[in-house]
Structures are given as C-alpha cells and as structure tokens.
C-alpha cells in the first residue's frame, strides 16, 4: 500500500516551486511541480489523482482562479 500523498504544485516562478519543494523535503509526499499552468491542467485532465493542489493566483498564461 502506497501511503504517499500526491501534491501538485503550480507556479510560474521557479523560486516558489523550489521553496515549496524544500519545505516538504523528507516528508511523506510525492510532489509534481509545474511551471506552466496549462501543463498542470493537462496532467489533471489525464485523470492523475492528487490529494492536494497548490497553485499561485497570478500567473502569465492562466490565473489560479481560472485554473481551479
């Protein structure tokens, strides 16, 4: 049984993704990091299951509210 929680983190700033990754290092999480919100949307639509999705609001191609 896999007890890792899957988390999708979406932000168009690499520093923010790196910060979240550093904060969750060593925990029981499987992180998927996306710089491109449209790529994240595609992953989500392909029926990948995520326990938590963390997204930035202000992004270039699509904002976090529209992505939601």
């Amino acid at each position: 049984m896999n007890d890792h929680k899957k988390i999708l983190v979406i932000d168009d700033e690499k520093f923010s993704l790196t910060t979240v990754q550093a904060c969750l290092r060593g925990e029981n999480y499987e992180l998927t990091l996306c710089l491109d919100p449209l790529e994240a949307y595609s992953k989500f639509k392909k029926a990948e299951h995520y326990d938590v999705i963390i997204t930035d609001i202000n992004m270039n191609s699509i904002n976090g509210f529209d992505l939601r």
Side-chain angles (χ1 to χ4, degrees), residues 14-37:
K14 187 167 178 73
F15 177 78
S16 297
L17 293 178
T18 303
T19 301
V20 170
Q21 186 177 35
C23 289
L24 298 177
R25 182 177 299 133
E27 298 297 330
N28 200 20
Y29 303 122
E30 180 182 331
L31 293 178
T32 300
L33 306 175
C34 288
L35 278 168
D36 180 6

Side-chain angles (χ1 to χ4, degrees), residues 4-62:
H4 288 168
K5 299 298 181 197
K6 290 182 71 172
I7 301 174
L8 174 61
V9 184
I10 310 150
D11 199 312
D12 59 350
E13 294 185 24
K14 187 167 178 73
F15 177 78
S16 297
L17 293 178
T18 303
T19 301
V20 170
Q21 186 177 35
C23 289
L24 298 177
R25 182 177 299 133
E27 298 297 330
N28 200 20
Y29 303 122
E30 180 182 331
L31 293 178
T32 300
L33 306 175
C34 288
L35 278 168
D36 180 6
L38 297 177
E39 174 192 352
Y41 182 76
S42 176
K43 286 179 179 287
F44 181 77
K45 292 300 280 186
K46 288 180 182 173
E48 290 191 31
H49 168 79
Y50 295 100
D51 297 294
V52 176
I53 297 174
I54 301 170
T55 183
D56 185 17
I57 297 301
N58 296 317
M59 295 182 283
N60 291 329
S61 59
I62 184 173

